[in-house]
PDB file of all heavy atoms in Angstrom:
ATOM      1  N   VAL A  10     -52.333  40.844  -0.077  1.00 89.00           N
ATOM      2  CA  VAL A  10     -51.583  41.906   0.609  1.00 89.00           C
ATOM      3  C   VAL A  10     -51.932  43.252  -0.001  1.00 89.00           C
ATOM      4  O   VAL A  10     -52.148  44.235   0.703  1.00 89.00           O
ATOM      5  CB  VAL A  10     -50.072  41.624   0.519  1.00 89.00           C
ATOM      6  CG1 VAL A  10     -49.281  42.861   0.887  1.00 89.00           C
ATOM      7  CG2 VAL A  10     -49.695  40.480   1.413  1.00 89.00           C
ATOM      8  N   PRO A  26     -51.613  61.099   6.867  1.00 84.00           N
ATOM      9  CA  PRO A  26     -51.139  60.777   5.510  1.00 84.00           C
ATOM     10  C   PRO A  26     -49.831  60.004   5.532  1.00 84.00           C
ATOM     11  O   PRO A  26     -49.634  59.076   4.745  1.00 84.00           O
ATOM     12  CB  PRO A  26     -50.950  62.140   4.860  1.00 84.00           C
ATOM     13  CG  PRO A  26     -51.722  63.095   5.687  1.00 84.00           C
ATOM     14  CD  PRO A  26     -51.776  62.538   7.059  1.00 84.00           C
ATOM     15  N   ALA A  35     -45.206  49.636   2.646  1.00 91.00           N
ATOM     16  CA  ALA A  35     -44.961  48.337   3.274  1.00 91.00           C
ATOM     17  C   ALA A  35     -45.688  47.245   2.507  1.00 91.00           C
ATOM     18  O   ALA A  35     -45.115  46.184   2.240  1.00 91.00           O
ATOM     19  CB  ALA A  35     -45.420  48.367   4.722  1.00 91.00           C
ATOM     20  N   ALA A 128     -55.626  31.588 -13.878  1.00 86.00           N
ATOM     21  CA  ALA A 128     -55.580  30.521 -14.875  1.00 86.00           C
ATOM     22  C   ALA A 128     -56.967  30.210 -15.377  1.00 86.00           C
ATOM     23  O   ALA A 128     -57.153  29.321 -16.185  1.00 86.00           O
ATOM     24  CB  ALA A 128     -54.951  29.269 -14.266  1.00 86.00           C
ATOM     25  N   PHE A 133     -59.702  35.789 -14.744  1.00 87.00           N
ATOM     26  CA  PHE A 133     -58.814  36.721 -15.437  1.00 87.00           C
ATOM     27  C   PHE A 133     -59.583  37.989 -15.780  1.00 87.00           C
ATOM     28  O   PHE A 133     -59.172  39.112 -15.496  1.00 87.00           O
ATOM     29  CB  PHE A 133     -58.346  36.035 -16.721  1.00 87.00           C
ATOM     30  CG  PHE A 133     -57.306  36.762 -17.517  1.00 87.00           C
ATOM     31  CD1 PHE A 133     -55.983  36.393 -17.444  1.00 87.00           C
ATOM     32  CD2 PHE A 133     -57.656  37.798 -18.360  1.00 87.00           C
ATOM     33  CE1 PHE A 133     -55.030  37.047 -18.195  1.00 87.00           C
ATOM     34  CE2 PHE A 133     -56.710  38.458 -19.099  1.00 87.00           C
ATOM     35  CZ  PHE A 133     -55.384  38.076 -19.027  1.00 87.00           C
ATOM     36  N   VAL A 142     -61.234  50.072 -12.853  1.00 85.00           N
ATOM     37  CA  VAL A 142     -61.972  51.078 -12.099  1.00 85.00           C
ATOM     38  C   VAL A 142     -61.055  52.049 -11.339  1.00 85.00           C
ATOM     39  O   VAL A 142     -61.204  53.267 -11.472  1.00 85.00           O
ATOM     40  CB  VAL A 142     -62.979  50.387 -11.163  1.00 85.00           C
ATOM     41  CG1 VAL A 142     -63.719  51.421 -10.355  1.00 85.00           C
ATOM     42  CG2 VAL A 142     -63.947  49.559 -11.976  1.00 85.00           C
ATOM     43  N   LEU A 163     -59.762  56.698 -21.548  1.00 81.00           N
ATOM     44  CA  LEU A 163     -59.063  55.485 -21.127  1.00 81.00           C
ATOM     45  C   LEU A 163     -60.043  54.414 -20.691  1.00 81.00           C
ATOM     46  O   LEU A 163     -59.965  53.255 -21.105  1.00 81.00           O
ATOM     47  CB  LEU A 163     -58.117  55.861 -19.987  1.00 81.00           C
ATOM     48  CG  LEU A 163     -57.459  54.712 -19.272  1.00 81.00           C
ATOM     49  CD1 LEU A 163     -56.345  54.184 -20.127  1.00 81.00           C
ATOM     50  CD2 LEU A 163     -56.907  55.166 -17.951  1.00 81.00           C
ATOM     51  N   ALA A 184     -70.058  27.885 -27.712  1.00 81.00           N
ATOM     52  CA  ALA A 184     -69.950  27.094 -28.942  1.00 81.00           C
ATOM     53  C   ALA A 184     -69.329  25.738 -28.667  1.00 81.00           C
ATOM     54  O   ALA A 184     -69.681  24.753 -29.296  1.00 81.00           O
ATOM     55  CB  ALA A 184     -69.130  27.859 -29.979  1.00 81.00           C
ATOM     56  N   PHE A 227     -55.453  51.601 -32.367  1.00 81.00           N
ATOM     57  CA  PHE A 227     -56.304  51.740 -31.179  1.00 81.00           C
ATOM     58  C   PHE A 227     -55.491  52.278 -30.007  1.00 81.00           C
ATOM     59  O   PHE A 227     -55.737  51.940 -28.870  1.00 81.00           O
ATOM     60  CB  PHE A 227     -56.931  50.393 -30.816  1.00 81.00           C
ATOM     61  CG  PHE A 227     -57.637  49.756 -31.963  1.00 81.00           C
ATOM     62  CD1 PHE A 227     -57.057  48.717 -32.663  1.00 81.00           C
ATOM     63  CD2 PHE A 227     -58.865  50.232 -32.369  1.00 81.00           C
ATOM     64  CE1 PHE A 227     -57.687  48.154 -33.741  1.00 81.00           C
ATOM     65  CE2 PHE A 227     -59.505  49.666 -33.446  1.00 81.00           C
ATOM     66  CZ  PHE A 227     -58.926  48.630 -34.144  1.00 81.00           C
ATOM     67  N   PRO A 267     -55.343  28.858 -32.099  1.00 83.00           N
ATOM     68  CA  PRO A 267     -54.129  28.864 -32.948  1.00 83.00           C
ATOM     69  C   PRO A 267     -54.451  29.091 -34.417  1.00 83.00           C
ATOM     70  O   PRO A 267     -53.744  29.823 -35.106  1.00 83.00           O
ATOM     71  CB  PRO A 267     -53.517  27.493 -32.730  1.00 83.00           C
ATOM     72  CG  PRO A 267     -54.272  26.840 -31.664  1.00 83.00           C
ATOM     73  CD  PRO A 267     -55.503  27.598 -31.380  1.00 83.00           C
ATOM     74  N   TRP A 279     -48.043  43.581 -39.393  1.00 90.00           N
ATOM     75  CA  TRP A 279     -48.076  44.874 -40.085  1.00 90.00           C
ATOM     76  C   TRP A 279     -48.452  45.990 -39.130  1.00 90.00           C
ATOM     77  O   TRP A 279     -47.806  47.038 -39.097  1.00 90.00           O
ATOM     78  CB  TRP A 279     -49.092  44.834 -41.241  1.00 90.00           C
ATOM     79  CG  TRP A 279     -48.491  44.400 -42.532  1.00 90.00           C
ATOM     80  CD1 TRP A 279     -48.766  43.257 -43.215  1.00 90.00           C
ATOM     81  CD2 TRP A 279     -47.495  45.085 -43.310  1.00 90.00           C
ATOM     82  NE1 TRP A 279     -48.013  43.194 -44.352  1.00 90.00           N
ATOM     83  CE2 TRP A 279     -47.227  44.305 -44.428  1.00 90.00           C
ATOM     84  CE3 TRP A 279     -46.815  46.295 -43.133  1.00 90.00           C
ATOM     85  CZ2 TRP A 279     -46.307  44.678 -45.400  1.00 90.00           C
ATOM     86  CZ3 TRP A 279     -45.891  46.670 -44.090  1.00 90.00           C
ATOM     87  CH2 TRP A 279     -45.644  45.860 -45.205  1.00 90.00           C
ATOM     88  N   GLY A 284     -47.170  50.626 -36.141  1.00 88.00           N
ATOM     89  CA  GLY A 284     -47.250  51.301 -34.850  1.00 88.00           C
ATOM     90  C   GLY A 284     -45.879  51.765 -34.375  1.00 88.00           C
ATOM     91  O   GLY A 284     -45.739  52.877 -33.874  1.00 88.00           O
ATOM     92  N   GLY A 316     -43.140  40.836 -31.601  1.00 90.00           N
ATOM     93  CA  GLY A 316     -42.583  39.585 -31.092  1.00 90.00           C
ATOM     94  C   GLY A 316     -43.653  38.511 -30.989  1.00 90.00           C
ATOM     95  O   GLY A 316     -43.431  37.362 -31.346  1.00 90.00           O
ATOM     96  N   LEU A 342     -39.034  57.058 -17.097  1.00 90.00           N
ATOM     97  CA  LEU A 342     -39.199  58.279 -17.889  1.00 90.00           C
ATOM     98  C   LEU A 342     -40.373  59.102 -17.351  1.00 90.00           C
ATOM     99  O   LEU A 342     -40.268  60.324 -17.189  1.00 90.00           O
ATOM    100  CB  LEU A 342     -39.442  57.929 -19.363  1.00 90.00           C
ATOM    101  CG  LEU A 342     -38.247  57.364 -20.115  1.00 90.00           C
ATOM    102  CD1 LEU A 342     -38.672  56.842 -21.465  1.00 90.00           C
ATOM    103  CD2 LEU A 342     -37.189  58.430 -20.297  1.00 90.00           C
ATOM    104  N   THR A 354     -41.436  72.549 -11.988  1.00 81.00           N
ATOM    105  CA  THR A 354     -41.488  73.675 -12.925  1.00 81.00           C
ATOM    106  C   THR A 354     -42.921  74.024 -13.318  1.00 81.00           C
ATOM    107  O   THR A 354     -43.162  75.092 -13.853  1.00 81.00           O
ATOM    108  CB  THR A 354     -40.732  73.327 -14.204  1.00 81.00           C
ATOM    109  OG1 THR A 354     -41.387  72.208 -14.812  1.00 81.00           O
ATOM    110  CG2 THR A 354     -39.303  72.949 -13.926  1.00 81.00           C
ATOM    111  N   LEU A 359     -42.225  71.814 -24.017  1.00 79.00           N
ATOM    112  CA  LEU A 359     -40.797  71.783 -24.322  1.00 79.00           C
ATOM    113  C   LEU A 359     -40.274  73.184 -24.577  1.00 79.00           C
ATOM    114  O   LEU A 359     -39.158  73.524 -24.209  1.00 79.00           O
ATOM    115  CB  LEU A 359     -40.557  70.895 -25.537  1.00 79.00           C
ATOM    116  CG  LEU A 359     -40.748  69.411 -25.285  1.00 79.00           C
ATOM    117  CD1 LEU A 359     -40.568  68.619 -26.561  1.00 79.00           C
ATOM    118  CD2 LEU A 359     -39.779  68.914 -24.244  1.00 79.00           C
ATOM    119  N   LEU A 380     -29.940  58.692 -18.748  1.00 90.00           N
ATOM    120  CA  LEU A 380     -29.757  57.237 -18.690  1.00 90.00           C
ATOM    121  C   LEU A 380     -31.019  56.522 -19.152  1.00 90.00           C
ATOM    122  O   LEU A 380     -30.965  55.570 -19.945  1.00 90.00           O
ATOM    123  CB  LEU A 380     -29.390  56.812 -17.268  1.00 90.00           C
ATOM    124  CG  LEU A 380     -27.994  57.252 -16.825  1.00 90.00           C
ATOM    125  CD1 LEU A 380     -27.757  56.886 -15.371  1.00 90.00           C
ATOM    126  CD2 LEU A 380     -26.941  56.600 -17.695  1.00 90.00           C
ATOM    127  N   ALA A 424     -33.813  59.395 -32.396  1.00 85.00           N
ATOM    128  CA  ALA A 424     -33.998  60.783 -32.804  1.00 85.00           C
ATOM    129  C   ALA A 424     -34.896  61.526 -31.823  1.00 85.00           C
ATOM    130  O   ALA A 424     -34.532  62.602 -31.333  1.00 85.00           O
ATOM    131  CB  ALA A 424     -34.589  60.823 -34.214  1.00 85.00           C
ATOM    132  N   ARG A 428     -33.817  64.444 -29.026  1.00 86.00           N
ATOM    133  CA  ARG A 428     -34.448  65.754 -29.132  1.00 86.00           C
ATOM    134  C   ARG A 428     -34.972  66.200 -27.766  1.00 86.00           C
ATOM    135  O   ARG A 428     -34.683  67.300 -27.316  1.00 86.00           O
ATOM    136  CB  ARG A 428     -35.587  65.681 -30.147  1.00 86.00           C
ATOM    137  CG  ARG A 428     -36.436  66.919 -30.165  1.00 86.00           C
ATOM    138  CD  ARG A 428     -37.439  66.888 -31.302  1.00 86.00           C
ATOM    139  NE  ARG A 428     -38.391  67.958 -31.146  1.00 86.00           N
ATOM    140  CZ  ARG A 428     -39.598  67.801 -30.592  1.00 86.00           C
ATOM    141  NH1 ARG A 428     -39.956  66.620 -30.147  1.00 86.00           N
ATOM    142  NH2 ARG A 428     -40.410  68.809 -30.480  1.00 86.00           N
ATOM    143  N   GLY A 441     -29.230  87.382 -20.775  1.00 61.00           N
ATOM    144  CA  GLY A 441     -29.658  88.627 -20.164  1.00 61.00           C
ATOM    145  C   GLY A 441     -30.914  88.517 -19.329  1.00 61.00           C
ATOM    146  O   GLY A 441     -31.359  89.495 -18.744  1.00 61.00           O
TER     147      GLY A 441
END
Side-chain angles (χ1 to χ4, degrees):
Chain A
V10 165
F133 186 101
V142 179
L163 171 77
F227 307 102
W279 269 114
L342 290 170
T354 62
L359 289 177
L380 290 175
R428 171 173 169 263

